[in-house]
Amino acid sequence: MPSYTGPVEDFRFLIHECLDLQECRDLPSLAGVDSDIIDAVLAEGARFCESVLQPLNAPGDEAGCRLEGDEVFTPEGFRDAYRTYTENGWPGLTSSPDYGGQGMPHFLGIAMSEMITAANTSWGMYPALAHGAWELIHLHGSDEQKRTWLPKMIAGEWTGTMNLTEPHCGTDLGLVRTRAERRDDGSYRISGTKIWISAGEHDLADNIVHLVLARTPDAPEGTKGLSLFIVPKFLVDDGGGIGERNGVRCAGLDHKMGIRASATCEMVYEDAVGYLIGEENKGLNLMFTMMNGARLGTGIQGLGLASVAYQNAVTFARERLQGRSLDGAKNPEKPADPIIVHPDVRRMLLTSKAFIEGARALAVHTALQLDIEYNHPDAERRERAGHWVALMTPIIKAYFTDMGFEVTSLSMQVHGGAGYIVDTGVEQYMRDARIARIYEGTNGIQALDLVGRKLTAANGETVKSFFTEVERLLGECADEPAMAEFTKPLAGAAERLKSTTAAVYQKMAGDPLEAGAASVDYLELFALTAMAWSWTTQARAALRALDAEGARSDFYRTKLDTARFFMARMLPETLGLEQKILAGGETLMALDESAF
Amino acid sequence: MKILVTLKRVVDYNVRVRVKSDGSGVETDGVKMSINPFDEIALEEALRIKERGEAEEVIVASIGGDEVQQQLRTGLAMGADRAIQVSADGDVQPLTAARTFLKLVEKEEPGIVFLGKQAIDDDANQTGQMLAALWDRPQATFASKVELADGKATVAREVDSGLETIEVDLPAVLTSDLRLNEPRFVKLPEIMKAKRKPLETLSLEDLGVERAGGIEAVSYEPPPQRGGGKVVESVDELVSELKSKGLL
């Protein structure tokens, strides 16, 4: 059976030694949050995930959810775990203190999300969707809506969902048919069918607050005619408690490859009472706030699953005795050497480790930018942070989930035949990780978002936000000779990314198909360069710490060695990507459809 | 009634302990440190007693440098009312700890002093017993069940032959065994609130504690690596091998 230990030490390194928290002293989310509190939250969070969620992961996968009538029952233990989670205040970790939240910084939220996913991806879906829903209401709801829904949702008593997809429309939301009819009391009546609704129905919470995209009778065609509604499972009575049952029910549960303990529901709305958020026909933009948060969260799923799959691969590689090291026995008193002596096993483990820790640093830094974007007193600083978040959202979503899946596959490879056996438990990680490349906008859509929207956004300021950070880091390290082995490859990759960006920009001006042809490779090129930046910041912190006396030297030396591996054996992928991108889309489009 | 609970900062039980290269101790820099698990169980029991209305206040105390404040804050976040740090450098031996706690007992006059049966770093299993002797009050060690009534504690103790139930008059020293309870999770809002609960800092000198010097650590070394096994051909060979190693 797999095991899991929350990477608290790595989080502490990233937060205390890599982030520039000085410039964030004035952020409300950091007021009173000193290093003791950060450490306590990380330690308690890890403890909850390791001891409560992880043991439910494999049994939950085996049992799945159960539909009886229109009620959904989650696997045994899920309810109790959810109760513990809410009783201990976790749903409100980063949410607004105005509505009962703890208002803590987003890097703690991201850390907790990673550990929850690693321990139990399916279980984590329920609070994650609830989080997205309250965030949307918090940003776009009226004061009355906030008062009605937020306190219960932030306390975790009620959860939430996002309802976009319909049987005939997934990526293209312009085709949404669900209807919303106005009533005299200001509410609406919602009718239609939504599919693939995560956490649409379950037994963890007293009420479920659905956020539903629907179309009013006179709305314009396409995405410009979508409005967003709050449609609760139970209406709220005058006292703010549970009232009448609303006209929404679960009509089916999907049987899936992975995340089997997450209820994926078909939801049928029949004259259900709904409350408009914002204005009519402006719904899609509002939904995108939830989508953006959800996209970051989905990227973190890739990271979390990679992390737990890697941990178990390391344990196996250390224990499995098989064959001898190519240069002679390392373990002569035993019948064979552990497989971790083999260069190829190390390649797999190091690729995993370098991805995980590089990605984690990028995620923690991006999470801090979220706090800056929302709350920094300096407008210019807020804007710059916003650009970074907008740029990194598709990169984190797509690259983290592609690599997350790859790492779960590497973990299976390290396990050999045992990895393919269900009872070993690592194949679940691979199945659970696969969906993350698809939902919340497929990774192809993320690449189009990067090339089509983010490249041109804000007159190029969005993209510039990355290069500015790279140049700043290179400038700060210019006088540190020990940093050259990291800054040189970073500078090279950044130059390559810059020239490729210019080339892509030029090509797509002439032919929009060129943007589509370049997009996926371009996103990976960008992601690898961002990882080089991330590893360089970590290498700098590690070198500084090693200079200080009495440091835990093993930890920092391992950081430097892993950074070297990344620069030497992962970053060079950018050369091939550059070549593929510059080759253009001609060969992709040459075949006639009938030739496939 | 007050309950005084002692918390020792130790290397977390999940960490693989490593001896420093110069043999002067075990590596603690950058290593995850936690409340000694037995002390955490003692605190949990004290909190439950308070929650049942059988005590009014739970005080946590620890001896050591400012780093022990982290464990005291965790104790406060679990639900203790206030904390006392007795600052001291270097190694604190069981007798020093017992003398220190005696001073705190004289200052606070608790009805129960609750300790872990032993700390997982040095496994001394002495402080509670020494404190009871110095204080000249009853002790009930290795508790796996505690009930209070009429100024007495009825304690089921884990002993080699099973469970032994004894009754002691309060005030008394109790020490917890592993199966006494399962400590609670810390609630997130309590972590913030713990920051505002009182934490008093005293020193060994303030308290007039004389340091015990009976034990000197000469050197530390990791246990020897296990050597390879040996396959024997017959029972006779096995017996003679065991005899030659003095094992039979």
Side-chain angles (χ1 to χ4, degrees):
Chain A
M1 272 291 127
S3 66
Y4 176 64
T5 308
V8 171
E9 194 183 10
D10 201 33
F11 279 124
R12 286 176 54 201
F13 166 70
L14 296 176
I15 293 168
H16 299 316
E17 298 175 62
C18 294
L19 286 184
D20 181 8
L21 291 180
Q22 274 310 98
E23 67 156 347
C24 305
R25 265 169 318 184
D26 301 334
L27 294 181
S29 58
L30 280 161
V33 179
D34 57 20
S35 59
D36 280 357
I37 287 186
I38 289 170
D39 290 353
V41 171
L42 290 171
E44 285 303 320
R47 186 173 158 207
F48 171 76
C49 295
E50 293 160 5
S51 62
V52 177
L53 295 184
Q54 202 275 337
L56 298 175
N57 189 44
D61 177 63
E62 201 180 332
C65 291
R66 194 160 44 84
L67 178 69
E68 278 179 28
D70 55 8
E71 284 183 87
V72 172
F73 296 90
T74 55
E76 197 180 333
F78 272 44
R79 264 175 77 90
D80 288 342
Y82 187 77
R83 192 181 312 124
T84 307
Y85 178 79
T86 53
E87 279 173 1
N88 291 318
W90 290 106
L93 178 61
T94 58
S95 35
S96 165
D98 297 345
Y99 300 98
Q102 294 302 310
M104 290 210 187
H106 280 85
F107 53 74
L108 287 176
I110 286 252
M112 190 62 182
S113 299
E114 186 197 313
M115 293 192 285
I116 289 175
T117 294
N120 195 327
T121 308
S122 283
W123 185 92
M125 294 289 287
Y126 300 93
L129 269 297
H131 180 106
W134 72 248
E135 203 156 75
L136 190 147
I137 297 174
H138 187 233
L139 283 172
H140 303 297
S142 67
D143 285 344
E144 193 199 333
Q145 286 170 339
K146 289 186 207 176
R147 277 196 304 274
T148 307
W149 306 104
L150 290 183
K152 299 271 192 197
M153 293 180 80
I154 287 173
E157 288 177 45
W158 299 351
T159 61
T161 70
M162 54 201 290
N163 285 235
L164 291 82
T165 307
E166 297 181 9
H168 60 283
C169 86
T171 297
D172 186 357
L173 290 168
L175 304 175
V176 160
R177 282 186 202 144
T178 298
R179 300 184 316 277
E181 286 169 18
R182 289 178 208 97
R183 290 296 159 99
D184 295 340
D185 63 358
S187 72
Y188 292 73
R189 292 295 178 275
I190 313 293
S191 298
T193 299
K194 295 283 182 180
I195 60 164
W196 301 343
I197 306 308
S198 297
E201 177 61 38
H202 56 77
D203 57 353
L204 304 183
D206 299 337
N207 201 359
I208 302 173
V209 182
H210 304 287
L211 299 181
V212 182
L213 277 183
R215 201 179 281 288
T216 48
D218 42 6
E221 293 283 303
T223 54
K224 290 190 162 56
L226 295 177
S227 305
L228 183 62
F229 299 91
I230 298 173
V231 187
K233 176 179 171 183
F234 288 98
L235 300 176
V236 172
D237 66 18
D238 295 338
I242 298 284
E244 235 176 281
R245 185 74 165 83
N246 201 4
V248 46
R249 62 187 181 86
C250 174
L253 266 186
D254 288 303
H255 185 59
K256 308 185 296 298
M257 172 183 176
I259 55 166
R260 292 183 154 183
S262 163
T264 305
C265 305
E266 178 184 340
M267 302 303 296
V268 174
Y269 293 83
E270 287 167 321
D271 279 327
V273 177
Y275 310 101
L276 181 70
I277 303 183
E279 293 171 42
E280 280 186 16
N281 303 328
K282 301 267 173 73
L284 192 60
N285 283 342
L286 306 188
M287 194 57 117
F288 265 104
T289 357
M290 186 165 176
M291 289 288 286
N292 279 332
R295 283 175 175 178
L296 283 175
T298 305
I300 301 305
Q301 287 187 320
L303 171 58
L305 281 161
S307 170
V308 68
Y310 163 73
Q311 285 184 14
N312 286 283
V314 170
T315 308
F316 186 86
R318 282 197 183 120
E319 287 171 359
R320 176 71 170 168
L321 302 180
Q322 204 75 180
R324 289 294 183 190
S325 175
L326 296 172
D327 62 351
K330 293 272 159 42
N331 208 5
E333 73 279 10
K334 295 268 170 64
D337 289 338
I339 59 171
I340 199 164
V341 302
H342 298 303
D344 183 55
V345 173
R346 291 171 158 259
R347 174 190 63 80
M348 294 190 273
L349 294 177
L350 267 165
T351 302
S352 307
K353 183 176 172 66
F355 161 68
I356 291 160
E357 293 177 19
R360 187 178 287 138
L362 190 61
V364 165
H365 178 83
T366 302
L368 179 63
Q369 305 312 305
L370 277 174
D371 283 295
I372 296 174
E373 179 188 4
Y374 294 151
N375 291 317
H376 201 279
D378 178 359
E380 190 274 332
R381 193 64 197 86
R382 282 201 301 275
E383 200 181 331
R384 194 146 51 88
H387 288 316
W388 177 281
V389 174
L391 177 64
M392 287 301 159
T393 298
I395 292 172
I396 287 178
K397 196 285 177 179
Y399 181 70
F400 283 24
T401 59
D402 281 347
M403 279 302 290
F405 181 72
E406 173 65 15
V407 169
T408 59
S409 175
L410 287 174
S411 171
M412 181 183 283
Q413 195 70 16
V414 169
H415 279 84
Y420 198 68
I421 303 295
V422 173
D423 290 347
T424 307
V426 294
E427 57 84 45
Q428 187 193 343
Y429 298 132
M430 211 174 150
R431 287 188 287 106
D432 284 355
R434 190 60 186 83
I435 184 61
R437 303 170 74 182
I438 299 171
Y439 61 18
E440 302 310 333
T442 64
N443 287 0
I445 291 290
Q446 303 303 319
L448 277 183
D449 176 46
L450 177 65
V451 174
R453 291 206 193 96
K454 302 294 160 66
L455 271 195
T456 51
N459 288 324
E461 288 297 319
T462 302
V463 175
K464 231 174 92 186
S465 70
F466 175 70
F467 290 109
T468 308
E469 283 303 313
V470 171
E471 276 150 29
R472 192 156 70 115
L473 180 62
L474 292 176
E476 285 168 4
C477 297
D479 299 334
E480 296 176 49
M483 280 301 293
E485 59 173 320
F486 308 107
T487 52
K488 248 182 93 181
L490 168 63
E495 274 313 308
R496 188 168 305 125
L497 176 62
K498 229 182 223 173
S499 63
T500 314
T501 303
V504 167
Y505 198 75
Q506 213 165 21
K507 271 177 190 279
M508 68 191 218
D511 179 1
L513 285 176
E514 286 291 345
S519 59
V520 167
D521 294 323
Y522 179 78
L523 186 142
E524 193 181 349
L525 172 65
F526 212 128
L528 282 165
T529 313
M531 292 280 283
W533 172 85
S534 152
W535 271 115
T536 305
T537 60
Q538 292 187 77
R540 177 173 63 167
L543 276 172
R544 284 181 180 170
L546 278 174
D547 286 343
E549 215 158 309
R552 43 183 178 151
S553 48
D554 293 357
F555 179 87
Y556 298 114
R557 293 219 170 83
T558 306
K559 276 284 173 204
L560 292 173
D561 286 336
T562 314
R564 287 181 188 117
F565 172 85
F566 177 84
M567 298 299 183
R569 306 221 17 149
M570 289 174 78
L571 190 59
E573 300 280 349
T574 53
L575 291 163
L577 290 164
E578 177 190 36
Q579 213 173 343
K580 286 203 277 181
I581 294 163
L582 296 182
E586 209 178 319
T587 55
L588 276 179
M589 305 312 289
L591 265 67
D592 189 79
E593 274 177 38
S594 63
F596 282 96
Chain B
M1 181 178 75
K2 290 182 193 174
I3 303 178
L4 177 66
V5 181
T6 63
L7 304 181
K8 186 173 184 185
R9 175 183 165 93
V10 297
V11 174
D12 187 82
Y13 72 95
N14 275 315
V15 172
R16 196 187 305 201
V17 172
R18 293 164 48 148
V19 174
K20 283 184 184 166
S21 51
D22 63 1
S24 64
V26 299
E27 198 70 67
T28 55
D29 281 336
V31 170
K32 185 181 175 199
M33 305 294 284
S34 300
I35 297 175
N36 173 39
F38 292 109
D39 297 348
E40 198 181 3
I41 292 168
L43 174 55
E44 175 65 35
E45 196 64 18
L47 295 172
R48 290 183 190 186
I49 291 169
K50 186 189 160 190
E51 284 159 5
R52 288 201 299 266
E54 295 167 3
E56 284 78 48
E57 193 180 27
V58 175
I59 307 160
V60 286
S62 189
I63 309 172
D66 285 349
E67 64 278 0
V68 304
Q69 291 186 8
Q70 212 182 348
Q71 279 63 46
L72 289 172
R73 292 284 177 206
T74 304
L76 293 170
M78 279 177 72
D81 299 288
R82 59 191 170 90
I84 302 172
Q85 174 201 356
V86 181
S87 56
D89 303 330
D91 187 38
V92 175
Q93 294 179 7
L95 184 55
T96 312
R99 285 175 182 166
T100 307
F101 295 142
L102 179 67
K103 295 291 181 187
L104 296 184
V105 164
E106 287 164 0
K107 183 170 171 304
E108 299 288 349
E109 299 180 345
I112 296 171
V113 183
F114 225 132
L115 304 87
K117 70 169 180 177
Q118 67 198 67
I120 62 167
D121 51 1
D122 56 18
D123 278 338
N125 185 356
Q126 295 171 1
T127 306
Q129 293 88 330
M130 286 176 169
L131 173 62
L134 293 173
W135 189 15
D136 197 19
R137 291 298 310 168
Q139 55 177 294
T141 52
F142 315 145
S144 74
K145 190 172 183 213
V146 176
E147 280 172 354
L148 304 181
D150 309 323
K152 293 180 199 307
T154 308
V155 177
R157 305 179 61 231
E158 295 199 16
V159 293
D160 288 346
S161 52
L163 288 178
E164 174 194 61
T165 302
I166 62 170
E167 193 181 83
V168 292
D169 291 327
L170 300 181
V173 173
L174 308 188
T175 75
S176 61
D177 213 319
L178 190 65
R179 281 158 287 268
L180 178 58
N181 60 48
E182 202 173 310
R184 67 194 60 195
F185 289 105
V186 170
K187 289 182 166 53
L188 197 52
E190 301 299 324
I191 292 175
M192 293 294 266
K193 274 187 211 152
K195 213 65 198 170
R196 297 190 291 271
K197 288 184 178 175
L199 192 157
E200 180 183 8
T201 300
L202 305 167
S203 68
L204 290 181
E205 293 73 41
D206 292 340
L207 293 170
V209 174
E210 187 198 341
R211 267 188 185 256
I215 307 166
E216 189 193 344
V218 181
S219 74
Y220 288 76
E221 54 191 284
Q225 292 273 334
R226 271 177 63 165
K230 181 179 178 184
V231 179
V232 293
E233 298 294 331
S234 65
V235 174
D236 288 343
E237 197 189 337
L238 174 66
V239 171
S240 75
E241 277 289 331
L242 290 175
K243 275 187 175 156
S244 74
K245 292 187 187 304
L247 297 170
L248 211 72

